[in-house]
């Protein structure tokens, strides 16, 4: 069932709740791919009813980012959700979510602002305000759907850590489930932004998984010094790669480490054909 209004979603979900159903929410910005479908499948395996939100959230994009050209494929998304047995696709307009005439700044809208430490690192260093926008829309979705479980992908590892922190700090009654990264056979992590890449760009984009796999191999061979591990990456880079960051941090707290351990995660953001791609790997698994 495709729903556009908050009231309709609330009505249906309230009915489910009185019938004792467990409700799962998979928040997405649409342009669904196999990564999203893995979240939906996981939700279906745990919950009686599954809601997928399909909303390109304007307030998580910076002024020079790709909000306007972000792929919008609602018809295909609906077909895919249908095949997976999704109960509701919630596809609101920006007006439904944020009201008419809102200038979407924190002068006019109540924002959820995660702690500085969590947003002033990794993706947050260049995507100013991004995680405020993410947390704000995710909390709104939690309040609208009131799910028992919500499902997020490990590819956005920083996002999941920040959302878990928000849920804990604000006592939101939802359990966050993180699902593994889904990759193409080549190793490229699935992302809606892969659509922007040419065939050659897709090959160049393999550098992300190569760098991360190599770091993990080196760690498994006994190299733990974080600088030494990061150094191993540079030989993979060419002039087609614009590295924004490569970090090895604690997988639960994002704290920096000087020596990697089984609790570490290596994360990177690299631009290929001016498309910003992210990927990560747990060193301990
Ligand atoms: O990960 C995403 O697609 C978005 O950041 C999310 C969680 C749907 C919020 O808009």
């Amino acid at each position: 069932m495709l729903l556009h209004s908050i009231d309709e979603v609330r009505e249906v979900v309230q009915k489910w709740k009185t019938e004792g159903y467990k409700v799962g929410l998979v928040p997405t910005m649409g342009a669904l791919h196999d990564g999203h479908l893995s979240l939906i499948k996981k939700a279906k395996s745990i919950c009686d009813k599954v809601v997928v939100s399909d909303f390109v959230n304007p307030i998580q994009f910076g002024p020079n980012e790709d909000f306007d050209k972000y792929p919008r494929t609602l018809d295909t998304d609906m077909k895919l959700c249908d095949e997976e047995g999704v109960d509701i696709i919630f596809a609101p307009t920006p007006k439904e979510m944020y009201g008419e005439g809102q200038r979407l700044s924190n002068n006019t809208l109540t924002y959820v602002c995660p702690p500085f430490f969590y947003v002033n690192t990794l993706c947050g260093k260049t995507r100013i305000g991004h995680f405020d926008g993410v947390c704000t829309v995710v909390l709104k979705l939690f309040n609208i759907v009131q799910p028992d479980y919500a499902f997020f992908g490990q590819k956005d590892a920083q996002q999941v850590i920040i959302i878990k922190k928000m849920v804990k700090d604000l006592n939101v009654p939802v359990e966050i489930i993180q699902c593994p990264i889904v990759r193409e056979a080549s190793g490229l992590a699935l992302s809606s932004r892969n659509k922007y890449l040419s065939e050659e760009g897709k090959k160049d984009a393999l550098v992300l998984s190569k760098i991360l796999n190599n770091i993990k191999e080196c760690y498994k061979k006994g190299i733990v010094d974080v600088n030494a591990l990061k150094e191993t990456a540079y030989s993979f880079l060419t002039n087609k790669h614009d590295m924004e960051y490569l970090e090895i941090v604690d997988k639960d707290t994002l704290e920096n480490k000087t020596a990697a351990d089984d609790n570490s995660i290596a994360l990177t953001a690299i631009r290929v054909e001016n498309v910003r791609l992210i990927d990560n790997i747990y060193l301990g698994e």
Side-chain angles (χ1 to χ4, degrees):
M1 165 181 7
L2 173 67
L3 297 179
H4 297 289
S5 94
I6 293 171
D7 287 349
E8 285 171 326
V9 173
R10 282 223 163 102
E11 200 184 311
V12 178
V13 175
Q14 280 317 315
K15 194 157 166 284
W16 290 343
K17 295 243 162 177
T18 54
E19 287 162 11
Y21 290 133
K22 288 276 174 233
V23 178
L25 170 67
V26 182
T28 81
M29 297 205 300
L32 301 185
H33 50 63
D34 283 353
H36 298 111
L37 299 189
S38 77
L39 303 179
I40 294 172
K41 283 185 185 16
K42 182 72 183 176
K44 288 288 295 179
S45 74
I46 297 180
C47 306
D48 304 305
K49 299 286 180 186
V50 173
V51 179
V52 172
S53 62
D54 191 314
F55 176 62
V56 185
N57 174 36
I59 69 167
Q60 71 186 72
F61 289 80
N64 300 319
E65 292 185 355
D66 56 344
F67 174 69
D68 287 331
K69 73 165 187 176
Y70 197 85
R72 287 160 171 87
T73 59
L74 185 58
D75 287 347
T76 319
D77 295 349
M78 277 163 53
K79 272 195 207 112
L80 292 170
C81 285
D82 223 36
E83 283 163 22
E84 296 300 333
V86 167
D87 299 278
I88 293 179
I89 303 179
F90 174 44
T93 58
K95 182 178 156 200
E96 177 70 5
M97 288 298 273
Y98 295 115
E100 196 152 23
Q102 286 266 20
R103 290 195 59 246
L104 297 174
S105 74
N106 49 10
N107 290 328
T108 54
L109 185 72
T110 304
Y111 268 74
V112 180
C113 302
F116 186 71
F117 170 76
Y118 288 78
V119 296
N120 187 41
T121 180
L122 306 170
C123 292
K125 271 197 169 155
T126 49
R127 303 197 70 190
I128 309 299
H130 169 69
F131 290 111
D132 299 2
V134 169
C135 283
T136 304
V137 81
V138 168
L139 186 62
K140 281 168 76 73
L141 290 167
F142 287 168
N143 285 332
I144 293 164
V145 177
Q146 303 193 5
D148 299 285
Y149 301 93
F151 300 81
F152 296 87
Q154 181 203 319
K155 192 170 82 64
D156 297 300
Q158 185 179 12
Q159 168 171 280
V160 185
I161 289 170
I162 289 175
I163 289 170
K164 281 187 175 163
K165 172 85 177 138
M166 171 185 81
V167 161
K168 183 166 176 274
D169 289 352
L170 300 181
N171 306 96
V172 188
V174 61
E175 190 175 325
I176 304 300
I177 312 271
Q178 178 178 285
C179 303
I181 298 177
V182 179
R183 298 178 183 281
E184 287 187 359
S186 64
L188 181 65
L190 297 193
S191 160
S192 305
R193 291 190 169 96
N194 292 350
K195 288 199 166 100
Y196 302 146
L197 295 169
S198 69
E199 280 310 308
E200 204 192 323
K202 275 185 131 189
K203 284 187 199 138
D204 294 330
L206 296 180
V207 77
L208 284 90
S209 54
K210 280 187 189 151
I211 284 176
L212 294 170
N213 282 324
N214 187 59
I215 287 180
K216 184 163 176 170
E217 272 167 34
C218 292
Y219 170 72
K220 293 287 183 199
K221 281 184 193 150
I223 303 176
V224 294
D225 181 73
V226 162
N227 286 332
L229 287 170
K230 281 162 65 172
E231 278 293 318
T232 66
Y234 299 116
S235 62
F236 289 88
L237 297 173
T238 70
N239 60 3
K240 295 185 175 164
H241 305 120
D242 182 7
M243 183 182 271
E244 196 177 282
Y245 67 76
L246 171 65
E247 299 294 350
I248 298 172
V249 299
D250 185 275
K251 73 175 173 57
D252 300 312
T253 63
L254 296 178
E255 260 149 345
N256 282 321
K257 295 183 175 256
T258 48
D261 58 27
D262 282 356
N263 242 9
S264 301
I265 182 172
L267 312 95
T268 190
I270 297 178
R271 279 181 187 275
V272 175
E273 297 181 329
N274 210 24
V275 179
R276 188 176 179 283
L277 302 169
I278 58 171
D279 200 352
N280 65 72
I281 199 165
Y282 290 129
L283 301 192
E285 286 180 354

